[in-house]
């Protein structure tokens, strides 16, 4: 099965493609969107759920999203139309790492897309070039809740230095010239809801569409992911979402 189609099916019940609950998403957006903010950008927007919720929540704002995947952008477009915010959303099909704009944005988001830039700090470097002087960055990435063992690294296809612990992660962000003004560490419950939703949505689709050519592949992918999570990285990989401003 095509990776993007699999991701679309797996996130059907959890469209925020990260281990973050709806109330946490709303709180993070409220901390990132200042009263005077009117323009937002999502680098690596995927299906556009962050931007859809932002535009619904703040009806005076306009937004742009960047992603390399056609199907994800079509999903973002459809979601915006359903929520009647499509007239305030512009989507760009291109590599987020090379996106440039003639104007700056009051809010730059990039949650769970650091791989597209080569890591958290390169993600922030890209955001800095597009951020208005007093703007906010909302960025989310992984960290090690505890020392990863061989099973966790194998399940994630990661190496030990792909992430750091939470304190080191935040220290690196601060040393890079950013000040955290809010943050959210995903709880065990948020992680479990995300992973059960991911594997459950994909499994349910496979069971309901047994006649489709991709059904068996989807079923196996869900089972493999569930095993990698439960027997590999559950309790080891954490996720932190930070609201940042430039340091003086």
């Amino acid at each position: 099965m095509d990776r993007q189609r699999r991701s679309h099916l797996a996130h059907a019940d959890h469209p925020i493609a990260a281990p973050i609950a709806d109330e946490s998403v709303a709180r993070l957006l409220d901390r990132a969107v200042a009263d005077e903010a009117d323009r937002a950008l999502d680098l690596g927007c995927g299906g556009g759920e962050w931007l859809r919720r932002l535009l619904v929540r703040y009806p005076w704002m306009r937004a742009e999203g960047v992603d390399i995947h056609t199907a994800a952008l079509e999903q973002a477009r459809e979601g915006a139309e359903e929520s009647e915010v499509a007239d305030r959303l512009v989507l760009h099909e291109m590599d987020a790492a090379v996106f440039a704009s003639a104007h700056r944005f009051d809010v730059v988001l990039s949650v769970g897309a650091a791989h597209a830039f080569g890591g958290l700090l390169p993600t922030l470097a890209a955001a800095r070039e597009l951020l208005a002087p007093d703007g906010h960055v909302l960025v989310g990435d992984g960290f090690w809740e505890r020392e990863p063992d061989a099973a966790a690294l194998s399940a994630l296809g990661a190496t030990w230095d792909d992430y750091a612990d939470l304190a080191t992660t935040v220290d690196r962000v601060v040393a890079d010239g950013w000040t955290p003004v809010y943050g959210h560490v995903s709880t065990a419950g948020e992680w479990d809801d995300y992973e059960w939703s991911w594997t459950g949505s994909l499994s349910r689709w496979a069971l309901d569409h047994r006649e489709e050519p991709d059904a068996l592949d989807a079923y196996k992918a869900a089972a493999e992911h569930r095993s990698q999570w439960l027997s590999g990285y559950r309790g080891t990989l954490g996720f932190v979402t930070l609201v940042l401003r430039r340091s003086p």
Side-chain angles (χ1 to χ4, degrees):
M1 173 180 280
D2 174 77
R3 181 177 179 181
Q4 285 305 305
R5 187 183 186 208
R6 182 178 66 195
S7 178
H8 173 70
L9 294 171
H11 288 108
D13 294 330
H14 201 298
I16 289 291
I20 309 174
D22 290 345
E23 58 270 22
S24 302
V25 170
R27 188 168 59 253
L28 285 161
L29 288 173
D30 284 345
R31 298 299 181 101
V33 178
D35 291 342
E36 65 276 11
D38 63 6
R39 194 184 295 269
L41 170 70
D42 191 341
L43 295 171
C45 66
E49 187 65 14
W50 282 93
L51 291 181
R52 186 190 69 80
R53 296 192 190 195
L54 181 147
L55 291 172
V56 169
R57 196 170 182 85
Y58 314 104
W60 65 87
M61 292 196 70
R62 305 185 68 83
E64 299 183 33
V66 186
D67 203 278
I68 200 170
H69 298 292
T70 304
L73 292 176
E74 182 58 32
Q75 180 185 349
R77 189 172 293 109
E78 291 173 358
E81 290 172 354
E82 290 174 5
S83 296
E84 300 182 343
V85 297
D87 60 324
R88 294 186 282 126
L89 177 64
V90 175
L91 298 171
H92 306 273
E93 185 175 346
M94 62 181 297
D95 185 349
V98 299
F99 176 76
S101 175
H103 52 255
R104 294 294 177 260
F105 297 86
D106 303 297
V107 182
V108 177
L109 306 93
S110 189
V111 180
H115 58 276
F117 301 88
L120 178 57
L121 295 186
T123 303
L124 291 173
R128 181 182 280 112
E129 295 301 313
L130 296 158
L131 188 67
D134 293 323
H136 293 72
V137 171
L138 197 161
V139 64
D141 197 23
F143 69 93
W144 295 130
E145 289 268 16
R146 63 186 181 194
E147 190 81 13
D149 58 17
L153 294 175
S154 176
L156 293 166
T159 62
W160 179 86
D161 58 0
D162 282 343
Y163 301 107
D165 61 43
L166 179 59
T168 302
T169 299
V170 175
D171 284 347
R172 290 174 178 174
V173 169
V174 171
D176 195 48
W178 299 95
T179 299
V181 295
Y182 189 64
H184 174 74
V185 176
S186 296
T187 66
E190 286 176 307
W191 262 111
D192 285 353
D193 180 61
Y194 173 71
E195 296 289 7
W196 284 123
S197 295
W198 198 104
T199 57
S201 297
L202 193 56
S203 296
R204 185 173 59 252
W205 179 88
L207 292 170
D208 290 344
H209 298 83
R210 298 172 194 239
E211 74 286 354
E212 296 229 8
D214 287 335
L216 183 57
D217 284 347
Y219 187 83
K220 289 180 177 178
E224 181 182 16
H225 187 109
R226 185 173 59 246
S227 177
Q228 290 171 334
W229 163 51
L230 291 173
S231 300
Y233 61 88
R234 184 174 185 262
T236 298
L237 181 65
F239 196 85
V240 60
T241 309
L242 299 170
V243 180
L244 306 170
R245 293 183 63 182
R246 290 186 180 91
S247 299

